[in-house]
Amino acid sequence: KRKGVELPRIARPAWMQRAGVRSLVRHDAPQVQPQTRLSAVVAKMALLPEGDDLFVVGDGGELLGVISIETLREVLADLPDLELVVAADVMERTGAVSVDASLWEATRRALAAESTRLPVVSPREGNRFVGTLAIPDVLAAARRSDPPT
């Protein structure tokens, strides 16, 4: 189900189970550090395309959370002192897709996502944030009738 709509079940083609998402990862993900002041978060968020989130990444490269425009609006409605609030105060924990996940798993996650991009981490490297999967890229790959070469 996605937002109250029942989606038809699709078969699990073998190639989707074998094909990984590594080739679909975009490395241009917008990110900030947890100590980034809210004023800088707002400025960075204003430059993002609609539906994109801002990813909070620690010094070691690990994904700590995500800041959505909806969350930012809620925080700003309270009129906080922009110099006292930092990214870590407004981020939300988020699930991520492993860089080693199958295309099937990524497609399943993409259909349930509320964002236009899914965060991708490398579990072998301490959940280091490696980039994002754009939902349209995942769905386009899943629609292919021929296995990727």
Side-chain angles (χ1 to χ4, degrees):
K1 269 186 156 177
R2 180 180 176 152
K3 298 183 182 180
V5 176
E6 185 71 34
L7 299 171
R9 292 203 179 272
I10 57 176
R12 294 184 189 189
W15 70 268
M16 282 183 74
Q17 294 286 44
R18 290 188 307 270
V21 299
R22 189 176 300 271
S23 64
L24 299 177
V25 174
R26 293 185 179 189
H27 301 284
D28 63 344
Q31 52 188 285
V32 294
Q33 294 185 316
Q35 67 274 16
T36 303
R37 295 198 186 282
L38 188 58
S39 56
V41 169
V42 169
K44 195 156 194 168
M45 186 69 85
L47 300 174
L48 297 180
E50 186 175 333
D52 276 10
D53 295 328
L54 193 55
F55 299 94
V56 182
V57 179
D59 291 334
E62 70 280 6
L63 177 65
L64 301 175
V66 64
I67 301 171
S68 67
I69 190 66
E70 292 80 14
T71 301
L72 196 56
R73 281 184 188 136
E74 289 173 13
V75 170
L76 292 174
D78 292 336
L79 301 173
D81 182 339
L82 296 184
E83 295 308 311
L84 296 179
V85 180
V86 295
D89 297 330
V90 297
M91 73 179 191
E92 297 176 314
R93 301 281 179 208
T94 186
V97 175
S98 167
V99 72
D100 300 317
S102 69
L103 183 56
W104 177 259
E105 174 63 18
T107 302
R108 189 181 67 75
R109 297 285 300 276
L111 290 172
E114 293 188 17
S115 177
T116 58
R117 292 188 182 199
L118 295 173
V120 179
V121 297
S122 176
R124 297 180 202 180
E125 301 174 64
N127 285 331
R128 182 179 63 83
F129 181 61
V130 295
T132 58
L133 285 176
I135 305 300
D137 294 349
V138 174
L139 297 178
R143 280 194 304 266
R144 287 189 206 131
S145 58
D146 296 322
T149 55

